[in-house]
Structures are given as structure tokens and as C-alpha cells.
Amino acid sequence: MSVRLSVCPSVGLCLSVSLFVPLSVCLSVCPSVCLYVSLFVPLSVCTSLCLSLCTSLCLSLCRSLSVCLSGCPSVCMSLCLSLCLSVSLFVPLSVCLYVSLFVPLYVSLFVPLYVSLFVPLSVCLYVSLFVPLSVSVCLSLCASLPRSVCLSEGRLRHTTTGEAYAFNAREDLHRWNQKRYEALGEVDATAEEPRSFIYLSADAMSNPAKLLVLIQGCGVVRAGQWARRLIINQDLDSGTQIPFITRAQEEGYGVMVLNPNENHLELERPAKPAPLPSPEASDEPAEKRERKDDRESKKKRDFYEKYRNPQKESETEQIPIRENGSPEEHVLYVWDHFVSKAAARNVFFVAHSYGGLSLVELMIQREAQVKNRVCAVAMTDSIHNVWHQDANKSIQEWLQQHCRNWVSSPEPLDTPVEPMLSDCPRVSAGTERHELTSWRSFNSIFQFFSEALQTGEEEETSNTVTTRSSHRTKPDHNHNDL
């Protein structure tokens, strides 16, 4: 059981205020009081007695002189003389005695005593008394605190609300609750189970504004690649998604790079054991044995040729990756587990070739979610087909408004191209090479995203103003008699 760290400082503060501060004040004040009582008070009393005696003598003298002084009462004369003597003699004498005697004694006696006695005593008391007492009090408080104060107590809790697991998450839906319970009991991919991966920027899940999702085509290309041919024969800018990632981060996007073509794990099959020679082999005719030896020699040549020629593939066994057995499954899996849980208000897609088909399939499976989160889709020479994929009319209309497909064409960049189907508008990518369409339309894609985002913000503002206006209270003309 681990306890919140805020408990210990609170207890330490309470103990410091209630125990250590009074002790410090007591140890600091006591020497001063003792010195004051034992030295300065007797000295002050002695001085006062002497001055009182002098005052009495002066008063006696005044009484004898008062007979000679006419018109001046003796009492008034005595008070005047006492006041003059106090101001002129007692106050200066007290100040001189205090400055000349008590201050040097205080400095010479109490300060060394404070340094030599109080400081070590304070440290010893703090280490030997306060620290163990703080620890013991903290432990006792931890034992008496409610279990809800503990950070981890071995119980399954909701990651958002922190509430303990409850079977009846939805009342009167026993079957749904049971499926939820069974799904919770299933463990995700084990260490031995084949797994896939995707790339996320540091703010992919937390960026509140924009998220860019990149999907390459099918085939041998892997995460972050558009075309292997361009990477090998041309350059990284044209063949990889690096320029898209860099530009997106510069413009404030979070980025997700999908990996739809890693759908299974390939394992080499173990070699089959060679058959043992039959007992009747020696009885075979010589011609038959020669033909058999030729066949075995050919197998050996093929075996060595397989390792000498790297293009010749060995026999492998493919183990599919759970819920990622195809590009379509991979895109759907990433949407459910990552994109839908990201904080971004506006999601953008760049889908090349088969990636466009996977994206349309995602819309068919998650239409409402995609329409609610996705702001714009840029396809590059996509091979999707809304008719063959059975995309309904509402999906086609949404693609018409929020999607654009840069296709291979001899026309200049961004020139409208006659659409083949009634889905997203088609424009020229400025090249006839299929693999170059993403790179050639690079700047146009980000301009398209900026315009789509601006349009969406204007529509949102307009809808907000309209909604507020519709809720204003209008005068009721049917109650003029009130």
C-alpha cells in the first residue's frame, strides 16, 4: 500500500507548530529571562532605592526651605523637585547602566551560550525526537486513513473516473455486461504472440487542436514509406512520409503513422527429416537407383541454390496478427484504440492508393464517429470504389464535401479531373507516375487542410450564433391583458 506523499508534510507541519516551535521559543527565551531576573532587576531595584533615598533627602530639604519661601506650598515644591530629579538623574543613570553593563553581559554571556548550547541541543532534539515522532505519527495516520486515500491497493479501477469495477455497468443489459466482463478478462498480446506497431508523435494523443493520420498503400512498403522504388532510386523526400511529418509538426498537428501492411509474422518452417533408406534398397535394380540418386542430387542443388540466390524465398509459415490481419483491419483497430481516444477536435487523413480503400471501409464500419471527428481527407491516387465497397449515399455525400483525390494525370497540378464515380472530387497530382502522386501534391494537400479547417471554424461560429439567436426570448403578443 502506497500513501499519498502529501500526508507526510502535513503531519510534519503540525508537529513543528505544536512541538518544535514552542520548544525553540522556550529554550531561546529562558536564558534571557533568567539573566534579566537575576541581574538587571536587582540592579534596577538597587538603583531605584538609592534614588528614592536621595529624593527623600531632597524633599526634607525642601520642607525646611518651604518655610522661608512665601506663597509656595510645600507639596507643590516637593513634586516639582522630584520630577526634576527623576528626569535629570534617574533616566540617564538607568540608560547608562543598561548600555554599559547589561548589553556587554548579554553579548558576552548569552550569545556564546546560545551558539554552544542551544544550536547543538536543537539539532539533537530534532534528530532524536522530531524525526522518529514524525515517522511514527505518519505510519499511524496511514493505518487509520480510509482506503480511498491509497494510490494503489490492488483493486481494478476505471482509468478515467477511478471508480472500482462494477459488473452492472448498464442496468437491464445483462448480456452486454457479461460481454464486457469477458472482454475485460481477456489479456492483450502476450510476449509470444505476434504484434504490429505504429508511430506517434509526442503530442499525438494530447494535442487538442489537430491530428494528422498517414496511411500508405499496400505491398512491401512499411510504416513511414510511400514507395520503396523512390527511396532506392530517387530520394527520401519523395519516397517517405518524412516531409509530411515535419510539415505537420511545424503547423501544430499531432501525427500518427500507420503500418497497415504488417499483418502477420513469418516463421521459417522446420526442415523435413530425410527418409530412412528402406531395407529393400539393395535389391533395387541399378537403373532405378541411379534415377533416385539423380533426384536426390537435384534436391541438394536446389537446397544450396536457395541460400546462394537471395531472391529465392524459403518456405515460411505465416501467423496472422490479431485484429490486424489486413490493412482494413489495421486501420479500424488504430481508429478504435488510438484516433477515437485522441484529444484533437479535428482529424485529418492522408491516404495513398490502397490506403484510400481502407479509409472508405473505416467509414462504412464507423460512419458516425468518422463524420464527427474527421475534418478533411486527402487521397493520392486512391483505388477505392464506393460501389464495390457498398458505401451508402450519406458516405458518398460526405466524401464529396470533405475529401479530395490527387490522381496521376498529365494535367498540371490541381487541375480538376473528370470523376469516375460520385464520391470525392478528383484533381491532377501533376504527374503520371502513381508512386509520385503523394510527393507532387504535398503543398496542395496542406493548403486543402488549412482551407477545410477555416471553413469548419466559420461554420461552427455561424451555427453558434444561430443557436444563440434562436434561444432569445421573444415578446408574447397573446397576453396583452396582463
Side-chain angles (χ1 to χ4, degrees):
M1 181 181 67
S2 59
V3 182
R4 295 187 187 272
L5 296 179
S6 60
V7 173
C8 293
S10 300
V11 175
L13 179 62
C14 294
L15 286 174
S16 297
V17 174
S18 61
L19 176 64
F20 185 68
V21 172
L23 184 62
S24 301
V25 173
C26 181
L27 290 174
S28 177
V29 172
C30 284
S32 300
V33 174
C34 294
L35 284 172
Y36 190 87
V37 173
S38 62
L39 180 63
F40 184 68
V41 172
L43 185 62
S44 299
V45 172
C46 182
T47 305
S48 299
L49 292 175
C50 293
L51 290 174
S52 299
L53 181 60
C54 294
T55 304
S56 299
L57 293 174
C58 293
L59 289 174
S60 299
L61 180 61
C62 290
R63 290 191 188 96
S64 60
L65 291 175
S66 61
V67 178
C68 302
L69 296 175
S70 60
C72 182
S74 61
V75 176
C76 294
M77 181 62 70
S78 298
L79 291 175
C80 291
L81 289 174
S82 297
L83 180 60
C84 293
L85 286 172
S86 296
V87 173
S88 60
L89 180 63
F90 179 70
V91 173
L93 184 60
S94 298
V95 172
C96 291
L97 286 173
Y98 188 86
V99 173
S100 61
L101 182 61
F102 181 72
V103 173
L105 283 174
Y106 189 89
V107 173
S108 62
L109 181 62
F110 181 70
V111 173
L113 183 65
Y114 186 90
V115 174
S116 61
L117 178 63
F118 177 68
V119 174
L121 183 61
S122 300
V123 174
C124 293
L125 284 172
Y126 190 88
V127 173
S128 61
L129 178 63
F130 177 67
V131 174
L133 186 61
S134 299
V135 173
S136 61
V137 171
C138 287
L139 293 177
S140 61
L141 286 174
C142 293
S144 61
L145 285 173
R147 300 293 291 180
S148 59
V149 178
C150 300
L151 292 177
S152 59
E153 51 191 71
R155 295 193 63 187
L156 185 65
R157 293 186 177 276
H158 196 281
T159 56
T160 303
T161 63
E163 297 177 354
Y165 170 77
F167 178 82
N168 292 320
R170 293 186 179 180
E171 296 294 335
D172 302 325
L173 291 176
H174 178 77
R175 181 176 296 180
W176 187 90
N177 293 328
Q178 181 65 29
K179 287 185 177 180
R180 175 173 173 265
Y181 173 78
E182 293 173 356
L184 185 63
E186 294 180 359
V187 180
D188 205 356
T190 61
E192 295 79 13
E193 184 179 358
R195 290 170 287 181
S196 181
F197 66 89
I198 62 173
Y199 293 116
L200 305 178
S201 64
D203 62 338
M205 300 300 293
S206 60
N207 190 316
K210 299 182 292 185
L211 174 65
L212 177 63
V213 183
L214 303 174
I215 313 175
Q216 70 265 39
C218 63
V220 296
V221 288
R222 291 296 182 260
Q225 300 176 350
W226 292 129
R228 184 179 294 184
R229 182 188 305 175
L230 295 175
I231 295 173
I232 296 173
N233 298 327
Q234 195 159 314
D235 52 37
L236 293 178
D237 284 345
S238 61
T240 70
Q241 298 172 357
I242 294 175
F244 285 81
I245 297 170
T246 304
R247 175 77 171 270
Q249 290 183 320
E250 290 175 353
E251 295 190 7
Y253 291 80
V255 182
M256 287 189 185
V257 178
L258 272 58
N259 189 23
N261 297 324
E262 189 164 348
N263 311 123
H264 52 264
L265 178 66
E266 290 189 356
L267 297 177
E268 187 173 354
R269 292 179 179 176
K272 297 180 179 179
L276 297 175
S278 60
E280 295 83 8
S282 58
D283 298 335
E284 292 180 349
E287 186 176 343
K288 186 176 181 179
R289 286 200 306 270
E290 288 178 0
R291 288 197 301 268
K292 186 176 182 180
D293 291 342
D294 289 340
R295 288 196 301 269
E296 292 179 354
S297 298
K298 185 175 182 303
K299 288 183 179 179
K300 290 181 180 179
R301 287 196 301 271
D302 292 342
F303 177 80
Y304 289 116
E305 181 69 17
K306 178 178 66 176
Y307 288 96
R308 189 175 62 182
N309 185 359
Q311 300 299 324
K312 190 164 185 177
E313 298 180 356
S314 60
E315 293 184 356
T316 58
E317 179 182 3
Q318 294 184 350
I319 303 176
I321 299 174
R322 179 159 51 91
E323 299 185 52
N324 288 266
S326 66
E328 297 94 320
E329 288 186 7
H330 176 78
V331 173
L332 180 62
Y333 180 89
V334 173
W335 175 271
D336 289 341
H337 293 82
F338 296 94
V339 180
S340 64
K341 298 179 181 179
R345 296 186 301 273
N346 299 290
V347 179
F348 300 83
F349 276 90
V350 177
H352 175 64
S353 189
Y354 199 89
L357 185 147
S358 300
L359 183 59
V360 172
E361 188 65 26
L362 171 66
M363 286 206 66
I364 295 172
Q365 299 293 331
R366 302 287 187 270
E367 180 179 352
Q369 296 182 25
V370 172
K371 288 181 178 179
N372 186 46
R373 297 291 303 278
V374 177
C375 181
V377 174
M379 296 182 179
T380 55
D381 225 10
S382 172
I383 63 172
H384 71 277
N385 189 304
V386 291
W387 287 358
H388 292 168
Q389 295 181 255
D390 294 329
N392 58 39
K393 186 177 180 180
S394 63
I395 292 177
Q396 297 179 31
E397 292 175 351
W398 188 90
L399 291 173
Q400 183 71 29
Q401 296 176 2
H402 298 85
C403 176
R404 187 174 296 175
N405 188 10
W406 280 263
V407 298
S408 53
S409 169
E411 299 295 330
L413 178 65
D414 294 330
T415 302
V417 178
E418 186 68 23
M420 299 176 61
L421 298 173
S422 57
D423 52 5
C424 57
R426 291 155 49 95
V427 296
S428 174
T431 179
E432 296 185 72
R433 295 175 60 183
H434 169 74
E435 65 273 15
L436 268 174
T437 52
S438 298
W439 173 237
R440 291 293 177 85
S441 56
F442 173 72
N443 291 317
S444 298
I445 288 174
F446 280 95
Q447 180 64 29
F448 170 63
F449 286 164
S450 298
E451 294 173 356
L453 183 62
Q454 184 177 0
T455 302
E457 291 177 350
E458 291 175 354
E459 291 178 354
E460 184 178 355
T461 303
S462 176
N463 292 336
T464 303
V465 172
T466 304
T467 303
R468 289 178 179 174
S469 300
S470 63
H471 285 80
R472 290 177 180 172
T473 304
K474 298 180 180 180
D476 193 345
H477 301 287
N478 297 326
H479 297 275
N480 296 327
D481 54 332
L482 297 179

